[in-house]
Amino acid sequence: MSLDSDSAAVASTSRDWYFPSPPFIHNNSNSTKFPKYPRRFPTNPRPSQHLPSDSRQPFGGVSSPNSSPPFRSVSSSTSTSAPHRAFNHERLRRRVDFGRRREKPQQNDVNEAIPSVSDGVSRRRSEVSSAVSGEKFLGFWGNGFNVRWKMAFFVAIATAVFSSVVYQNFCLHIQVNELQEHISKLEFTFRAYNLSDSMELISSFGQQSDLHSKSLKRLALVVSLTLLSMPVLAFKYIDYVSRSRSSENISEEVSLNKQLAYRVDLFLSVHPYSKPLALLVATLLLICLGGLALFGVKDDSLAECLWLSWTYVADSGNHTDSEKIGERLVSVSISFGGMLIFAMMLGLVSDAISEKFDSLRKGRSKVVEQNHTLILGWSDKLGSLLNQLAIANESLGGGIVVVMAERDKEEMELDIAKMEFNFKGTSVICRSGSPLILADLKKVSVSKARAIIVLAEDGNADQSDARALRTVLSLTGVKEGLRGHIVVELSDLDNEVLVKLVGGDLVETVVAHDVIGRLMIQCARQPGLAQIWEDILGFENCEFYIKRWSQLDGMHFEDVLISYPDAIPCGIKVASLGGKIILNPDDSYVLQEGDEVLVIAEDDDTYAPAPLPTVWRGSLPKDFIVPKSAERILFCGWRRDMEDMIMVLDAFLAPGSELWMFNEVAEKEREKKLIDGGLDISRLVNITLVNREGNAVIRRHLESLPLQSFDSILILADESVEDSAIQADSRSLATLLLIRDIQAKRLPMVTHVQRGSFSQGSWIGEMQQASDKSVIISEILDPRTKNLLSMSRISDYVLSNELVSMALAMVAEDRQINDVLEELFAEEGNELQIRQADLYLREGEELSFYEVLLRARQRREVMIGYRLADAERAVINPPSKSERRRWSVKDVFVVIAEKE
């Protein structure tokens, strides 16, 4: 038999057994050295001599003649009878028969390798038997332990034994590969002497590399399969342990699969990037395992297989060029895993995009703005407030207003869009959140806002003010600090002190409810005053501004009054008094360094002092004392601040006046509410209370009142319906129309010219005639309702929500104005008043506005505008103040004067 057939026999023998042979056991004394190759092949080959029989020895090791390996024989004819021979390379000759020489040494090598393999097998069997006996001993020894620990210890021992067996298997396999490689080297050595076999020598190199590559590919395939099977084994073990626990009724402990599910869920929920990280790890594992598996079934290199694995993962159609069954199975498996990976990736990307859009839709993203106006809360006043802020920012090209409330962002944006305001370049940004949570406040950049407006909630006054107080506490707790000031709308005057105590210097308060009540009383006594307040508080016409002018230092206030052709000075901010604002100061006051001038102007950049004009002062009429007479006033409805309104009326009205209160509140309960509010009825000096119970929208109830005898009627937004602006306005309109109709039927008909677009015979004309006899002031909450009243001209009105919004916007733009408003709305100090022209001039007298203004200074008043007898609206801060005109005693002037 030739050497090639012997090699094939040995290779086939190694494949027939599960455990390959161990490495050779080298002996330094008996081992034969490898032959040294000559530098050149002999040109004259000589006949070779047979080697002596006693020199037989296998290549690379010592033979074991006494051992009888359990392997089957490689060759039935030559494996036992052929004599062993050793080669002496120095006496090799070409004429020797190479077939016979190759046969016997090769057979000798195989025979000597077989005992080594049998020894390895016997050793491994002994190790396995000892491991099994150890396992039995462990089971016997662990009877006293918990089942959980016994099972864990058993699994650990079994895992160790399995790992040892697998390791020995891999080691023996590597040793077989080394033996085959050694045999190939011997074959190459013998073939090197044959010049005619040069082509076979080259092929032997290829076969040697192919054998080594095939061994690596098998190893890669085994490793990939082992790694893929490990998760399955782990899950099976967890399921087995969980079942064993449930069978033992261990109710105190949670099963392993539930614990594992909990840990995975906790990891995915706590760490924000856990899902992308898990997807990345799964992708890398799929590429690596798929590359190893492809390396085991393809002839390409490992790097090329890894690249192919990535292409199969990225595109499931790239494996169509696979031809072999193994390649197709592996490539289909990788492509199927790639589809799962990209499906999960698509789901993660879709979820991330949906979550981002959902956060934008619900207003969860952060507002990256500065010097913006922040509004916290939502109420009926928001529309008017946004409109006023937009008008105030028009001169700057627009601004940023951020609204945060506990409402859905889409609903807020839809409600703002329904307001149909022209925002004039101002952007309104809505965010959902609670002003009581610091994280939500940081989301709207509260620390960078130039003004923060806290709106009062609709409903109970005490609850609304308590929430405003908690909001102020949250704002003062911002770690970054606040750049702007806080404007808080309160519902009850009694809570103002507490809010200012908490907020300190950062807080400015506007007590809306009490302000509107006092304003309605002023408007009832002086018809037309509501429109003047709208012009002063709103940013559409003229408003208050404070600015320092150094060129006015050392000038008397009387001269300052006529120094502004486009503005009207009405007060001084005194620097020596810590910035206190004095309205209507004395004429002799001299402006000092640091003092600022309070004016009424169209805008902050539309006025400047000018040289003093020449003005003739003149003299007042001799009799300028306005006598007071007793009045009869009717209140329709009930407000929370009724006691404050009664005390204001008692201070303003003449002795003998009567106040009729007509509402649905029972008389006993009515007195109790007034007493709880701090009103002592016995201390009223100038007025007498008359109580009537009834519904103001029922005609027969109203007909029981002497409506034609009242000087002023105030229709209040009743406490029971003030939460709904539309319902409150509807009730007020119904009451107004019923009162005017009853008055028109009771008053004698007077024929006069048409008034406006309505004739005397129409029902509105009759109501207009009735309005000449008495003044009706209606409290309107919705600004859209004022169009109905302004067209009919049958009643004056007070836009309570709009006036409060104007005051909030003005204080938000300049917090110093709050001191001015507080004094104008307070019970003491200065206030806006409407005066008859005969107090300052005579009929037909021709004077300039400056001359009338200086005459008003003789009464310690600051004149800010006028309304002509045939005009519907007053003119505040009139232009051309030096121009003379003819006045009528029926004209009226608007002044700032001390309360009488």
Side-chain angles (χ1 to χ4, degrees):
M1 181 182 294
S2 63
L3 187 59
D4 296 333
S5 61
D6 291 343
S7 302
V10 172
S12 64
T13 303
S14 64
R15 287 192 300 269
D16 291 338
W17 291 90
Y18 181 79
F19 301 107
S21 60
F24 290 117
I25 303 174
H26 295 279
N27 192 336
N28 296 330
S29 61
N30 297 325
S31 61
T32 305
K33 298 181 179 179
F34 291 121
K36 297 181 180 180
Y37 302 149
R39 295 182 179 273
R40 297 182 179 177
F41 295 106
T43 56
N44 297 322
R46 292 176 297 175
S48 61
Q49 299 179 357
H50 293 282
L51 299 177
S53 59
D54 55 355
S55 62
R56 295 190 302 250
Q57 195 172 9
F59 290 95
V62 181
S63 64
S64 301
N66 296 329
S67 62
S68 59
F71 298 140
R72 65 187 178 186
S73 131
V74 177
S75 176
S76 59
S77 60
T78 61
S79 60
T80 56
S81 61
H84 298 284
R85 296 177 182 177
F87 294 93
N88 189 349
H89 295 280
E90 296 179 356
R91 290 180 296 175
L92 290 175
R93 296 293 182 267
R94 293 284 298 172
R95 52 195 178 95
V96 179
D97 187 8
F98 278 101
R100 296 179 59 190
R101 291 182 182 181
R102 284 195 295 260
E103 176 183 355
K104 294 181 179 180
Q106 183 69 17
Q107 185 67 30
N108 194 11
D109 292 339
V110 173
N111 289 334
E112 291 182 1
I114 291 175
S116 302
V117 175
S118 64
D119 292 340
V121 173
S122 61
R123 284 198 307 272
R124 205 184 79 179
R125 287 181 176 177
S126 62
E127 291 176 358
V128 173
S129 61
S130 61
V132 173
S133 62
E135 181 182 355
K136 293 180 179 180
F137 174 73
L138 177 62
F140 174 78
W141 173 68
N143 288 331
F145 287 85
N146 192 355
V147 177
R148 176 181 176 182
W149 290 103
K150 287 167 57 179
M151 182 58 65
F153 198 78
F154 169 75
V155 171
I157 295 298
T159 305
V161 173
F162 179 75
S163 302
S164 176
V165 171
V166 173
Y167 177 74
Q168 290 293 334
N169 189 7
F170 278 120
C171 291
L172 294 177
H173 185 72
I174 293 173
Q175 292 169 4
V176 169
N177 293 334
E178 291 179 353
L179 177 61
Q180 291 176 354
E181 183 179 356
H182 187 65
I183 292 174
S184 300
K185 288 182 179 179
L186 293 178
E187 183 180 0
F188 169 74
T189 302
F190 287 114
R191 291 186 178 184
Y193 292 98
N194 192 355
L195 295 177
S196 62
D197 295 339
S198 59
M199 297 302 296
E200 296 180 4
L201 179 63
I202 297 175
S203 63
S204 65
F205 274 113
Q207 293 177 0
Q208 177 184 354
S209 61
D210 290 342
L211 290 175
H212 182 65
S213 176
K214 288 180 180 180
S215 63
L216 290 178
K217 292 179 181 298
R218 294 192 189 98
L219 178 62
L221 189 61
V222 170
V223 169
S224 61
L225 292 176
T226 304
L227 292 177
L228 285 175
S229 61
M230 286 179 64
V232 178
L233 296 176
F235 282 117
K236 289 293 183 182
Y237 167 72
I238 293 173
D239 184 65
Y240 173 74
V241 173
S242 301
R243 289 181 181 178
S244 64
R245 285 184 177 180
S246 61
S247 62
E248 294 176 4
N249 296 325
I250 303 178
S251 59
E252 296 83 3
E253 298 183 2
V254 183
S255 59
L256 281 179
N257 54 359
K258 292 184 178 179
Q259 291 184 8
L260 180 62
Y262 169 72
R263 296 298 178 185
V264 172
D265 180 69
L266 184 64
F267 174 76
L268 294 178
S269 60
V270 171
H271 300 281
Y273 300 103
S274 56
K275 294 181 181 179
L277 182 62
L279 184 62
L280 178 62
V281 172
T283 305
L284 294 178
L285 286 177
L286 179 62
I287 293 174
C288 294
L289 294 179
L292 288 176
L294 284 176
F295 181 69
V297 297
K298 290 179 69 69
D299 296 334
D300 298 333
S301 62
L302 180 61
E304 186 67 23
C305 290
L306 289 174
W307 175 254
L308 286 177
S309 177
W310 157 246
T311 59
Y312 295 162
V313 170
D315 188 359
S316 58
N318 282 341
H319 64 277
T320 54
D321 57 347
S322 301
E323 298 179 353
K324 298 180 181 179
I325 298 298
E327 295 181 16
R328 290 182 177 180
L329 289 177
V330 173
S331 60
V332 167
S333 302
I334 297 174
S335 299
F336 183 73
M339 287 189 290
L340 293 179
I341 291 293
F342 274 88
M344 290 187 291
M345 182 181 297
L346 182 62
L348 287 179
V349 174
S350 177
D351 291 342
I353 296 175
S354 300
E355 184 178 357
K356 185 63 177 177
F357 277 103
D358 187 63
S359 65
L360 293 175
R361 181 178 61 85
K362 293 185 177 181
R364 297 174 181 172
S365 60
K366 184 177 181 181
V367 176
V368 186
E369 295 288 347
Q370 57 183 354
N371 294 327
H372 58 284
T373 302
L374 175 61
I375 301 176
L376 302 178
W378 188 277
S379 69
D380 295 333
K381 306 178 186 67
L382 182 65
S384 301
L385 179 59
L386 292 176
N387 187 29
Q388 293 300 319
L389 292 175
I391 297 173
N393 294 326
E394 183 180 7
S395 60
L396 302 176
I400 302 295
V401 179
V402 181
V403 180
M404 187 178 74
E406 297 183 39
R407 299 185 61 195
D408 187 71
K409 175 176 177 288
E410 291 182 337
E411 294 180 1
M412 292 190 288
E413 292 176 344
L414 184 60
D415 290 343
I416 293 175
K418 291 180 180 179
M419 296 175 184
E420 298 180 355
F421 289 134
N422 182 12
F423 290 106
K424 302 177 181 179
T426 297
S427 301
V428 181
I429 303 172
C430 297
R431 288 292 180 269
S432 298
S434 173
L436 305 179
I437 302 175
L438 290 177
D440 292 343
L441 291 176
K442 292 181 180 179
K443 182 174 63 177
V444 292
S445 301
V446 64
S447 59
K448 298 180 181 179
R450 64 185 179 92
I452 304 168
I453 303 175
V454 181
L455 294 179
E457 292 185 344
D458 298 330
N460 186 272
D462 293 333
Q463 293 180 0
S464 176
D465 291 349
R467 184 175 181 83
L469 179 62
R470 292 196 300 269
T471 303
V472 173
L473 284 173
S474 301
L475 291 172
T476 55
V478 177
K479 295 181 180 180
E480 295 82 1
L482 299 179
R483 179 184 302 178
H485 59 283
I486 306 171
V487 183
V488 183
E489 178 193 0
L490 297 178
S491 300
D492 196 342
L493 185 62
D494 298 334
N495 300 322
E496 183 180 15
V497 178
L498 184 59
V499 173
K500 287 187 176 181
L501 180 64
V502 172
D505 296 335
L506 290 174
V507 174
E508 298 290 341
T509 58
V510 176
V511 187
H513 206 267
D514 296 67
V515 166
I516 295 302
R518 296 173 184 175
L519 183 60
M520 289 193 65
I521 293 176
Q522 294 180 13
C523 295
R525 295 176 57 245
Q526 305 178 73
L529 189 61
Q531 176 259 318
I532 296 171
W533 271 112
E534 289 183 28
D535 293 341
I536 293 178
L537 291 179
F539 288 96
E540 292 181 340
N541 298 307
C542 295
E543 54 272 358
F544 291 104
Y545 293 101
I546 300 177
K547 189 181 294 186
R548 166 164 170 74
W549 302 93
S550 58
Q551 59 267 40
L552 299 180
D553 293 345
M555 187 180 296
H556 289 81
F557 181 73
E558 183 180 16
D559 297 330
V560 174
L561 282 174
I562 57 177
S563 298
Y564 294 91
D566 298 317
I568 297 179
C570 50
I572 300 295
K573 182 180 178 182
V574 183
S576 59
L577 298 179
K580 181 180 178 181
I581 298 177
I582 301 178
L583 279 175
N584 190 16
D586 295 335
D587 291 341
S588 60
Y589 179 81
V590 179
L591 270 69
Q592 306 295 327
E593 183 179 358
D595 290 349
E596 301 179 27
V597 181
L598 172 68
V599 302
I600 295 179
E602 185 177 357
D603 207 343
D604 58 350
D605 57 353
T606 59
Y607 71 97
L612 291 177
T614 301
V615 180
W616 176 66
R617 180 182 296 270
S619 61
L620 292 173
K622 294 181 179 179
D623 187 10
F624 54 82
I625 298 176
V626 180
K628 285 187 176 181
S629 59
E631 300 180 27
R632 178 179 285 186
I633 297 178
L634 172 65
F635 282 177
C636 291
W638 185 269
R639 287 171 56 94
R640 294 192 310 268
D641 59 340
M642 186 67 76
E643 62 277 358
D644 294 334
M645 297 179 66
I646 293 175
M647 288 187 289
V648 172
L649 275 177
D650 185 65
F652 287 161
L653 296 181
S657 300
E658 292 182 357
L659 174 60
W660 290 55
M661 292 188 298
F662 178 73
N663 49 67
E664 296 182 90
V665 181
E667 185 174 349
K668 292 183 179 180
E669 185 181 355
R670 196 180 303 177
E671 294 179 359
K672 182 178 180 300
K673 287 185 176 182
L674 294 177
I675 294 174
D676 293 341
L679 176 64
D680 189 356
I681 301 177
S682 61
R683 292 188 178 182
L684 295 177
V685 178
N686 298 325
I687 62 174
T688 302
L689 298 181
V690 180
N691 293 301
R692 291 291 186 270
E693 185 176 347
N695 193 340
V697 296
I698 299 178
R699 186 182 183 93
R700 69 174 183 273
H701 291 178
L702 290 173
E703 287 179 345
S704 63
L705 300 174
L707 297 178
Q708 71 279 3
S709 63
F710 292 109
D711 298 297
S712 301
I713 300 176
L714 278 70
I715 302 176
L716 309 176
D718 197 85
E719 185 180 13
S720 59
V721 294
E722 66 178 357
D723 294 341
S724 175
I726 297 178
Q727 186 176 358
D729 289 353
S730 300
R731 186 182 179 92
S732 299
L733 283 176
T735 303
L736 170 64
L737 294 176
L738 287 173
I739 292 176
R740 283 305 189 197
D741 186 59
I742 294 173
Q743 287 179 341
K745 296 295 189 293
R746 294 180 180 180
L747 291 175
M749 186 64 62
V750 178
T751 304
H752 59 283
V753 296
Q754 291 185 355
R755 186 176 173 187
S757 59
F758 304 102
S759 63
Q760 182 265 341
S762 64
W763 65 274
I764 294 184
E766 295 177 355
M767 292 182 182
Q768 289 174 352
Q769 177 179 325
S771 65
D772 295 335
K773 301 297 182 180
S774 63
V775 177
I776 297 182
I777 303 296
S778 302
E779 182 181 3
I780 301 301
L781 302 181
D782 192 346
R784 292 171 292 185
T785 311
K786 71 177 183 180
N787 297 328
L788 301 176
L789 298 177
S790 60
M791 290 174 58
S792 62
R793 304 186 187 94
I794 60 177
S795 170
D796 204 349
Y797 56 87
V798 174
L799 289 171
S800 58
N801 285 346
E802 189 167 5
L803 289 177
V804 173
S805 302
M806 292 176 179
L808 290 173
M810 184 169 289
V811 177
E813 291 296 319
D814 189 356
R815 63 180 304 181
Q816 305 174 98
I817 306 301
N818 194 32
D819 296 335
V820 180
L821 299 180
E822 286 181 351
E823 182 174 351
L824 292 176
F825 289 127
E827 298 179 5
E828 298 179 355
N830 293 273
E831 65 175 354
L832 285 180
Q833 296 182 8
I834 298 178
R835 301 292 194 192
Q836 293 294 327
D838 56 1
L839 294 176
Y840 311 101
L841 50 84
R842 298 167 181 85
E843 179 68 30
E845 195 172 2
E846 187 174 346
L847 300 171
S848 67
F849 182 79
Y850 272 148
E851 294 172 346
V852 181
L853 185 147
L854 291 181
R855 288 188 180 184
R857 287 306 297 168
Q858 300 178 28
R859 294 175 52 88
R860 186 65 187 282
E861 298 171 353
V862 176
M863 187 173 294
I864 62 174
Y866 60 87
R867 189 184 69 188
L868 301 178
D870 56 350
E872 296 181 359
R873 298 185 66 88
V875 179
I876 305 300
N877 183 27
S880 305
K881 298 179 177 61
S882 300
E883 182 180 351
R884 286 175 171 265
R885 61 173 302 159
R886 190 175 299 276
W887 302 92
S888 172
V889 292
K890 294 182 180 180
D891 298 336
V892 294
F893 291 94
V894 183
V895 299
I896 297 177
E898 292 184 358
K899 294 180 176 66
E900 299 176 357

